[in-house]
Amino acid sequence: MLSREENELLTRTGPGTPMGRLMRRYWIPALFSDQLPEPDGAPVRVKLLGEKLVAFRNTEGRVGLIDERCPHRTASLFFGRNEECGLRCVYHGWKFDIEGNCVDLPSEPWDKDFKRKIKITAYPCVERGGLVWAYMGPPELKPEFPDLGWTVVPGSHRYVTRHVQECNWLQALEGGFDTSHLTFLHRGDEGNADGVKMNLPARYEVMPFDFGFVSGTVRAQGENNFWTCSVMLMPFHKLISTQPAGAHAWVPIDDEHTMNYCIEYREDQPLTDEDLRDSREAFFIHPQLIPGTDRPIANRDNDYLIDRALQKSGQSYTGIKGIGRQDCSVQESMGAIADRTIEHLGVSDTAIIKLRRLLLQTVKDHERNANTRLPGMDPRAYRVRSKRFTVPAAMTMEEAVDRFIRIKELAPAK
Ligand code: FES
Ligand SMILES: [Fe+2]
């Protein structure tokens, strides 16, 4: 349970909010690179952390991400002409480059200085792992791009989709680190080996590290402990210990919508047809979308196509087909922003409680001092993977993480 103030502090990410300020210190996925297939092609609307933006690929092939509103009289630059290294507003012809400089101002030929005074908000972008990433924080604090495992493997080793979740980002993140729901919500789905074959864990741990935190569940096996460890990378990434490996990034579109990037990847070989068939057709990790949108076909307007007969039959706990859909149904059903003041948390929610505490502490530390040492600022700290392992019961979590989770060698991001 959180106080109303704490809930606000963790869930709000718009400009000027404490969590928004913290999140803007990290590189944020904005769109797929192939949404901007060619230089001087059509601009694309992007909404990130409550900010309406426009992405475009300029004549040199570089990506710009600027405020959607023209600083003249706020017309949308989505309608702009993308030409000769800049995006030109079609209302009166003002033109901006990817750095946010006004490079042409044809409607005001009288004042030579005016152009120099005009700026549009522009965020630096890089392309990694098939995505365009933006940095929306203070320029002087921009970190290097992190060595995030799935962004450094070749394209053939990686499969990435995205879909909108109609709820706040924290609900989606918490769902990702909620281990006990596997035994219930996803029961009956072939892809859910954890939930079907395992008992509830005996212990839940969450420990902070220099990349974020590790959430571990412990099951006793005689003299040994069987650990399932999931990595959280600041500010909203999860790495999953499946084979092929999985990952999520839950990126706030605004406070009531989240872009869920779903990634599968292999470090050492291309994904096989079988890998992709499993994730698409057997487990439905990647929900099918309404064509031309990021909205799943099964959504809250049609009750996620729940099949009550299937639910009664016992083959599926929910009667909703697919892991991605099941997550959406319950997470969105909590409301756009879950009211955490009325919850009743139990032992199986230990990870959720601890991750909230860690996030609250990080937000507060960052508000007190923007130069505080934040997790994830060293790009090498992201060289980690999630893992399952069996070790002697005496081994501490720190030792286990150093041995199994941290990767010493990882090709640096290009
Ligand atoms: S509103 Fe964009 S140039 Fe006038
Ligand atoms: Fe789930």
Side-chain angles (χ1 to χ4, degrees), residues 86-148:
L87 192 58
R88 190 186 289 280
C89 179
V90 290
Y91 205 171
H92 314 92
W94 292 22
K95 181 178 171 184
F96 305 92
D97 68 12
I98 60 172
E99 265 107 41
N101 304 304
C102 181
V103 289
D104 196 15
L105 211 153
S107 65
E108 295 288 322
W110 307 278
D111 184 346
K112 297 226 175 340
D113 279 344
F114 194 34
K115 191 167 84 180
R116 246 176 289 135
K117 288 182 215 144
I118 304 290
K119 279 264 181 191
I120 191 166
T121 300
Y123 296 122
C125 294
V126 295
E127 294 184 73
R128 295 281 192 282
L131 299 178
V132 175
W133 301 68
Y135 174 73
M136 302 168 73
E140 68 282 6
L141 296 175
K142 185 174 84 180
E144 272 179 67
F145 191 83
D147 295 349
L148 184 56

Side-chain angles (χ1 to χ4, degrees), residues 277-289:
R277 211 173 27 245
D278 279 356
S279 66
R280 280 188 206 145
E281 290 159 31
F283 318 143
F284 294 100
I285 291 167
H286 311 272
Q288 289 165 286
L289 303 179

